[in-house]
Amino acid sequence: MPHTTPWHSRALGATLLAVVLTVGTACGDDGPGPSASGSIKIGLLASLSGTYQAVGTEIRDGFQLYLDTHDGKLGGRRVDLVVADEGNGAQTAVPAATKLLKQDRVSALTGIVGGGSVAGVTPLLDETKVPLVGSNGRPELKDVSRVWHTSYLSDEPGEAIAQHVRDNVQGSVYAIGPDYQGGWDELRGFTDTFVKIGGKLANTDGKTTFTPFPATTNFTPYFARIKASGAAAVYTFYAGSAAVDFVKQYAQSEIKDVPLYAAGFLTEGGVLNAQGEAARDIYSVLNYSPDLDNAENRAFVAAWKAKHDGSPTTYALASYDAAAVLDRAIGAAGSDPTPEAINTAIGQLGQIASPRGTWQFSTTTHSPVQKWYLRQVRQDGRALSNTVVGDLATVGR
């Protein structure tokens, strides 16, 4: 699966699937790197069509917000931002990335919604020696020399919440999720950690129940299995329309009173609006919430709300941070910020101040070492929101 999550009401129409947003002057044709006029070309690849269009839109908008609030510059250089459509996965992502890297000759690449897309694009990064500062979940990769992510590895949410569930659930837990790479990673992170610390799964074979993806829209038969298992709680990961279906049907099912824990994408962004009252009281784990109380987050949320309906999501946040990483790295790369100089500088950034709280890149995975938060869907004024109710583990390796 694309390692993604909820859709958003501000999704772009088909006429905006492949758009070039330009601030300043384009770079010359003599290869990647800054132009004589002091601009630099950055490529942003995201799903602007297909199943995860809303996530891609948030990623695009989060990066653009950073530019809008920093005079259209990164590292003191005016940015020529080239945006391309990733589509539904590697089949469309790789040709789009090839154009960005070989024809547009960007100095750095950012975005990418799907883990499969990341895997497909990685060989191109080695070939062109251009760094990727990705901004959504991904699986572990063997070679991350030019791959950096400001988001998370896809098994980390479950790993971060496992101890809390073990401590607070008296009895066994039923694990269920979608049958594709993202679902496997998300559920494995929880089940491996939960069992290791003494938790017991309620599933009949002691293994996660995986539902066909994307075909499953009726979860009622699975709820009957959960009821029969005697589970004291449920842990899950779903995204997009599947998350809406799962939550709405869960609230009307015979297990509606069984506590539901989830990776935060189950209720993140626009899906929470679609789920409505059915989502109330769901506990989730995520690396961000718009109600975090720090100066960076207050400024980020205010800037986002000035341009968009609703609050920013973890997708927008990760892309905003990707721009912040490139801002510092390009600035540190000196008078000639080539792709390789930028890549080297990223590895030397150290701690990064962020709306989610301070974090830094792991030296082994190039993904964040960061704090994860326990959230619960609660009333916030006239609307439901994912309210932080506690801190969980700091995860990163």
Side-chain angles (χ1 to χ4, degrees):
M1 121 169 187
H3 296 258
T4 52
T5 49
W7 43 279
H8 189 280
S9 59
R10 298 179 65 86
L12 291 182
T15 57
L16 294 179
L17 299 185
V19 60
V20 175
L21 298 177
T22 302
V23 185
T25 320
C27 296
D29 295 327
D30 53 348
S35 73
S37 61
S39 65
I40 191 166
K41 189 177 287 188
I42 305 295
L44 188 150
L45 181 63
S47 296
L48 300 178
S49 64
T51 305
Y52 297 103
Q53 180 180 0
V55 177
T57 301
E58 294 256 339
I59 286 173
R60 182 206 61 192
D61 290 352
F63 197 94
Q64 187 63 50
L65 182 66
Y66 189 93
L67 293 180
D68 290 345
T69 54
H70 290 79
D71 196 30
K73 295 180 179 180
L74 297 178
R77 294 177 178 272
R78 193 153 297 279
V79 172
D80 178 3
L81 183 65
V82 187
V83 181
D85 184 17
E86 172 188 347
N88 265 339
Q91 186 174 2
T92 47
V94 171
T98 300
K99 179 181 181 299
L100 288 172
L101 294 167
K102 294 186 175 182
Q103 183 174 329
D104 297 314
R105 297 189 175 188
V106 298
S107 294
L109 187 64
T110 190
I112 307 190
V113 171
S117 299
V118 174
V121 168
T122 297
L124 291 170
L125 305 176
D126 294 332
E127 182 181 344
T128 59
K129 303 188 185 307
V130 172
L132 165 67
V133 183
S135 49
N136 205 41
R138 66 160 173 86
E140 291 196 50
L141 300 171
K142 290 182 179 179
D143 180 11
V144 294
S145 56
R146 291 183 177 83
V147 178
W148 309 84
H149 273 75
T150 59
S151 46
Y152 49 87
L153 297 181
S154 296
D155 58 356
E156 290 177 344
E159 179 183 344
I161 199 174
Q163 186 68 56
H164 175 84
V165 176
R166 176 74 179 89
D167 292 344
N168 289 274
V169 174
Q170 304 304 312
S172 59
V173 176
Y174 199 97
I176 184 171
D179 192 10
Y180 55 76
Q181 184 68 53
W184 305 336
D185 291 343
E186 292 282 354
L187 270 296
R188 175 175 48 80
F190 174 77
T191 57
D192 283 4
T193 307
F194 184 67
V195 170
K196 183 178 180 180
I197 59 179
K200 180 182 178 182
L201 295 179
N203 306 64
T204 53
D205 57 357
K207 298 179 181 178
T208 298
T209 297
F210 287 108
T211 61
F213 177 84
T216 305
T217 57
N218 178 16
F219 293 94
T220 303
Y222 298 100
F223 297 152
R225 293 190 206 176
I226 295 171
K227 177 71 173 179
S229 76
V234 173
Y235 183 81
T236 192
F237 158 81
Y238 284 100
S241 58
V244 177
D245 291 339
F246 185 90
V247 167
K248 283 190 167 184
Q249 292 169 30
Y250 193 99
Q252 298 173 348
S253 74
E254 56 187 338
I255 59 168
K256 63 182 180 181
D257 294 325
V258 177
L260 180 57
Y261 294 84
F265 320 110
L266 186 75
T267 58
E268 180 73 351
V271 295
L272 181 57
N273 296 331
Q275 292 159 346
E277 192 64 26
R280 184 183 291 275
D281 296 333
I282 292 175
Y283 284 102
S284 69
V285 51
L286 206 59
N287 60 347
Y288 176 69
S289 176
D291 67 346
L292 292 175
D293 188 16
N294 62 66
E296 289 84 2
N297 191 47
R298 288 191 293 271
F300 172 61
V301 171
W304 179 270
K305 287 186 173 181
K307 292 179 174 290
H308 304 277
D309 294 335
S311 298
T313 63
T314 187
Y315 322 118
L317 173 277
S319 194
Y320 183 89
D321 274 6
V325 165
L326 285 170
D327 190 5
R328 287 181 56 188
I330 293 167
S335 59
D336 184 23
T338 64
E340 292 208 76
I342 294 170
N343 190 62
T344 299
I346 293 171
Q348 300 171 347
L349 290 181
Q351 292 194 329
I352 296 163
S354 163
R356 79 185 84 173
T358 301
W359 63 274
Q360 63 187 40
F361 284 113
S362 161
T363 56
T364 55
T365 65
H366 289 183
S367 63
V369 178
Q370 62 186 329
K371 181 183 291 185
W372 290 81
Y373 301 97
L374 180 67
R375 315 184 310 172
Q376 187 178 34
V377 177
R378 295 181 175 182
Q379 198 73 32
D380 181 13
R382 291 182 295 177
L384 291 171
S385 72
N386 291 291
T387 302
V388 172
V389 295
D391 294 349
L392 295 172
T394 295
V395 176
R397 52 190 181 277

PDB file of all heavy atoms in Angstrom, residues 99-118:
ATOM      1  N   LYS A  99      11.383  12.207 -14.923  1.00  0.00           N
ATOM      2  CA  LYS A  99      11.328  13.521 -15.558  1.00  0.00           C
ATOM      3  C   LYS A  99      11.906  14.599 -14.638  1.00  0.00           C
ATOM      4  O   LYS A  99      12.695  15.453 -15.066  1.00  0.00           O
ATOM      5  CB  LYS A  99       9.894  13.877 -15.941  1.00  0.00           C
ATOM      6  CG  LYS A  99       9.767  15.254 -16.592  1.00  0.00           C
ATOM      7  CD  LYS A  99       8.335  15.583 -16.948  1.00  0.00           C
ATOM      8  CE  LYS A  99       8.238  16.959 -17.621  1.00  0.00           C
ATOM      9  NZ  LYS A  99       8.705  18.049 -16.736  1.00  0.00           N
ATOM     10  N   LEU A 100      11.521  14.564 -13.359  1.00  0.00           N
ATOM     11  CA  LEU A 100      12.017  15.565 -12.419  1.00  0.00           C
ATOM     12  C   LEU A 100      13.540  15.502 -12.300  1.00  0.00           C
ATOM     13  O   LEU A 100      14.218  16.532 -12.278  1.00  0.00           O
ATOM     14  CB  LEU A 100      11.390  15.348 -11.041  1.00  0.00           C
ATOM     15  CG  LEU A 100       9.914  15.695 -10.878  1.00  0.00           C
ATOM     16  CD1 LEU A 100       9.406  15.239  -9.509  1.00  0.00           C
ATOM     17  CD2 LEU A 100       9.670  17.191 -11.051  1.00  0.00           C
ATOM     18  N   LEU A 101      14.070  14.288 -12.225  1.00  0.00           N
ATOM     19  CA  LEU A 101      15.492  14.113 -11.959  1.00  0.00           C
ATOM     20  C   LEU A 101      16.365  14.271 -13.201  1.00  0.00           C
ATOM     21  O   LEU A 101      17.465  14.821 -13.128  1.00  0.00           O
ATOM     22  CB  LEU A 101      15.738  12.735 -11.333  1.00  0.00           C
ATOM     23  CG  LEU A 101      15.141  12.542  -9.932  1.00  0.00           C
ATOM     24  CD1 LEU A 101      15.155  11.068  -9.552  1.00  0.00           C
ATOM     25  CD2 LEU A 101      15.907  13.366  -8.908  1.00  0.00           C
ATOM     26  N   LYS A 102      15.874  13.806 -14.350  1.00  0.00           N
ATOM     27  CA  LYS A 102      16.722  13.791 -15.544  1.00  0.00           C
ATOM     28  C   LYS A 102      16.420  14.900 -16.545  1.00  0.00           C
ATOM     29  O   LYS A 102      17.313  15.343 -17.262  1.00  0.00           O
ATOM     30  CB  LYS A 102      16.596  12.430 -16.235  1.00  0.00           C
ATOM     31  CG  LYS A 102      17.147  11.289 -15.407  1.00  0.00           C
ATOM     32  CD  LYS A 102      17.146   9.981 -16.177  1.00  0.00           C
ATOM     33  CE  LYS A 102      17.809   8.866 -15.394  1.00  0.00           C
ATOM     34  NZ  LYS A 102      17.865   7.595 -16.147  1.00  0.00           N
ATOM     35  N   GLN A 103      15.165  15.327 -16.600  1.00  0.00           N
ATOM     36  CA  GLN A 103      14.815  16.394 -17.537  1.00  0.00           C
ATOM     37  C   GLN A 103      14.781  17.752 -16.839  1.00  0.00           C
ATOM     38  O   GLN A 103      15.423  18.709 -17.285  1.00  0.00           O
ATOM     39  CB  GLN A 103      13.466  16.112 -18.194  1.00  0.00           C
ATOM     40  CG  GLN A 103      13.061  17.149 -19.237  1.00  0.00           C
ATOM     41  CD  GLN A 103      11.784  16.739 -19.964  1.00  0.00           C
ATOM     42  OE1 GLN A 103      11.499  15.553 -20.160  1.00  0.00           O
ATOM     43  NE2 GLN A 103      10.994  17.727 -20.354  1.00  0.00           N
ATOM     44  N   ASP A 104      14.054  17.824 -15.727  1.00  0.00           N
ATOM     45  CA  ASP A 104      13.996  19.084 -14.977  1.00  0.00           C
ATOM     46  C   ASP A 104      15.273  19.320 -14.185  1.00  0.00           C
ATOM     47  O   ASP A 104      15.591  20.459 -13.839  1.00  0.00           O
ATOM     48  CB  ASP A 104      12.790  19.083 -14.038  1.00  0.00           C
ATOM     49  CG  ASP A 104      11.468  19.013 -14.777  1.00  0.00           C
ATOM     50  OD1 ASP A 104      11.315  19.762 -15.760  1.00  0.00           O
ATOM     51  OD2 ASP A 104      10.612  18.203 -14.398  1.00  0.00           O
ATOM     52  N   ARG A 105      15.994  18.261 -13.869  1.00  0.00           N
ATOM     53  CA  ARG A 105      17.280  18.348 -13.179  1.00  0.00           C
ATOM     54  C   ARG A 105      17.189  19.109 -11.861  1.00  0.00           C
ATOM     55  O   ARG A 105      17.897  20.084 -11.615  1.00  0.00           O
ATOM     56  CB  ARG A 105      18.338  18.959 -14.089  1.00  0.00           C
ATOM     57  CG  ARG A 105      18.601  18.111 -15.325  1.00  0.00           C
ATOM     58  CD  ARG A 105      19.798  18.596 -16.107  1.00  0.00           C
ATOM     59  NE  ARG A 105      20.107  17.711 -17.216  1.00  0.00           N
ATOM     60  CZ  ARG A 105      21.191  17.817 -17.962  1.00  0.00           C
ATOM     61  NH1 ARG A 105      22.081  18.756 -17.711  1.00  0.00           N
ATOM     62  NH2 ARG A 105      21.397  16.971 -18.956  1.00  0.00           N
ATOM     63  N   VAL A 106      16.302  18.614 -11.020  1.00  0.00           N
ATOM     64  CA  VAL A 106      16.134  19.234  -9.708  1.00  0.00           C
ATOM     65  C   VAL A 106      17.343  18.927  -8.829  1.00  0.00           C
ATOM     66  O   VAL A 106      18.035  17.921  -9.005  1.00  0.00           O
ATOM     67  CB  VAL A 106      14.837  18.742  -9.036  1.00  0.00           C
ATOM     68  CG1 VAL A 106      13.619  19.130  -9.871  1.00  0.00           C
ATOM     69  CG2 VAL A 106      14.857  17.228  -8.790  1.00  0.00           C
ATOM     70  N   SER A 107      17.595  19.796  -7.857  1.00  0.00           N
ATOM     71  CA  SER A 107      18.729  19.613  -6.947  1.00  0.00           C
ATOM     72  C   SER A 107      18.365  18.739  -5.754  1.00  0.00           C
ATOM     73  O   SER A 107      19.248  18.219  -5.062  1.00  0.00           O
ATOM     74  CB  SER A 107      19.222  20.975  -6.442  1.00  0.00           C
ATOM     75  OG  SER A 107      19.754  21.733  -7.504  1.00  0.00           O
ATOM     76  N   ALA A 108      17.064  18.618  -5.475  1.00  0.00           N
ATOM     77  CA  ALA A 108      16.586  17.741  -4.404  1.00  0.00           C
ATOM     78  C   ALA A 108      15.147  17.361  -4.719  1.00  0.00           C
ATOM     79  O   ALA A 108      14.432  18.101  -5.395  1.00  0.00           O
ATOM     80  CB  ALA A 108      16.673  18.420  -3.043  1.00  0.00           C
ATOM     81  N   LEU A 109      14.742  16.194  -4.216  1.00  0.00           N
ATOM     82  CA  LEU A 109      13.384  15.702  -4.418  1.00  0.00           C
ATOM     83  C   LEU A 109      12.712  15.585  -3.063  1.00  0.00           C
ATOM     84  O   LEU A 109      13.358  15.218  -2.071  1.00  0.00           O
ATOM     85  CB  LEU A 109      13.436  14.331  -5.103  1.00  0.00           C
ATOM     86  CG  LEU A 109      12.114  13.692  -5.550  1.00  0.00           C
ATOM     87  CD1 LEU A 109      11.450  14.534  -6.640  1.00  0.00           C
ATOM     88  CD2 LEU A 109      12.377  12.276  -6.076  1.00  0.00           C
ATOM     89  N   THR A 110      11.396  15.871  -3.012  1.00  0.00           N
ATOM     90  CA  THR A 110      10.661  15.757  -1.754  1.00  0.00           C
ATOM     91  C   THR A 110       9.273  15.204  -2.016  1.00  0.00           C
ATOM     92  O   THR A 110       8.863  15.037  -3.158  1.00  0.00           O
ATOM     93  CB  THR A 110      10.601  17.116  -1.028  1.00  0.00           C
ATOM     94  OG1 THR A 110      10.072  16.927   0.300  1.00  0.00           O
ATOM     95  CG2 THR A 110       9.718  18.105  -1.784  1.00  0.00           C
ATOM     96  N   GLY A 111       8.547  14.916  -0.926  1.00  0.00           N
ATOM     97  CA  GLY A 111       7.201  14.381  -1.041  1.00  0.00           C
ATOM     98  C   GLY A 111       7.186  12.865  -1.027  1.00  0.00           C
ATOM     99  O   GLY A 111       7.869  12.216  -0.241  1.00  0.00           O
ATOM    100  N   ILE A 112       6.408  12.267  -1.912  1.00  0.00           N
ATOM    101  CA  ILE A 112       6.169  10.844  -2.149  1.00  0.00           C
ATOM    102  C   ILE A 112       5.279  10.230  -1.064  1.00  0.00           C
ATOM    103  O   ILE A 112       5.673  10.083   0.087  1.00  0.00           O
ATOM    104  CB  ILE A 112       7.448  10.022  -2.335  1.00  0.00           C
ATOM    105  CG1 ILE A 112       8.336  10.653  -3.431  1.00  0.00           C
ATOM    106  CG2 ILE A 112       7.090   8.596  -2.686  1.00  0.00           C
ATOM    107  CD1 ILE A 112       9.498   9.785  -3.863  1.00  0.00           C
ATOM    108  N   VAL A 113       4.089   9.847  -1.468  1.00  0.00           N
ATOM    109  CA  VAL A 113       3.092   9.303  -0.557  1.00  0.00           C
ATOM    110  C   VAL A 113       3.324   7.817  -0.290  1.00  0.00           C
ATOM    111  O   VAL A 113       3.268   7.362   0.853  1.00  0.00           O
ATOM    112  CB  VAL A 113       1.672   9.524  -1.131  1.00  0.00           C
ATOM    113  CG1 VAL A 113       0.637   8.776  -0.308  1.00  0.00           C
ATOM    114  CG2 VAL A 113       1.344  11.015  -1.179  1.00  0.00           C
ATOM    115  N   GLY A 114       3.574   7.025  -1.315  1.00  0.00           N
ATOM    116  CA  GLY A 114       3.586   5.581  -1.190  1.00  0.00           C
ATOM    117  C   GLY A 114       4.943   4.980  -0.919  1.00  0.00           C
ATOM    118  O   GLY A 114       5.953   5.381  -1.508  1.00  0.00           O
ATOM    119  N   GLY A 115       4.980   3.982  -0.030  1.00  0.00           N
ATOM    120  CA  GLY A 115       6.222   3.274   0.229  1.00  0.00           C
ATOM    121  C   GLY A 115       6.737   2.559  -0.996  1.00  0.00           C
ATOM    122  O   GLY A 115       7.943   2.495  -1.234  1.00  0.00           O
ATOM    123  N   GLY A 116       5.829   1.994  -1.798  1.00  0.00           N
ATOM    124  CA  GLY A 116       6.241   1.350  -3.037  1.00  0.00           C
ATOM    125  C   GLY A 116       6.835   2.340  -4.011  1.00  0.00           C
ATOM    126  O   GLY A 116       7.765   2.017  -4.764  1.00  0.00           O
ATOM    127  N   SER A 117       6.319   3.556  -4.005  1.00  0.00           N
ATOM    128  CA  SER A 117       6.875   4.608  -4.853  1.00  0.00           C
ATOM    129  C   SER A 117       8.293   4.945  -4.434  1.00  0.00           C
ATOM    130  O   SER A 117       9.188   5.124  -5.270  1.00  0.00           O
ATOM    131  CB  SER A 117       6.000   5.860  -4.790  1.00  0.00           C
ATOM    132  OG  SER A 117       4.691   5.613  -5.252  1.00  0.00           O
ATOM    133  N   VAL A 118       8.517   5.033  -3.122  1.00  0.00           N
ATOM    134  CA  VAL A 118       9.865   5.320  -2.620  1.00  0.00           C
ATOM    135  C   VAL A 118      10.841   4.248  -3.080  1.00  0.00           C
ATOM    136  O   VAL A 118      11.933   4.547  -3.579  1.00  0.00           O
ATOM    137  CB  VAL A 118       9.876   5.421  -1.078  1.00  0.00           C
ATOM    138  CG1 VAL A 118      11.310   5.570  -0.565  1.00  0.00           C
ATOM    139  CG2 VAL A 118       9.029   6.598  -0.602  1.00  0.00           C
TER     140      VAL A 118
END
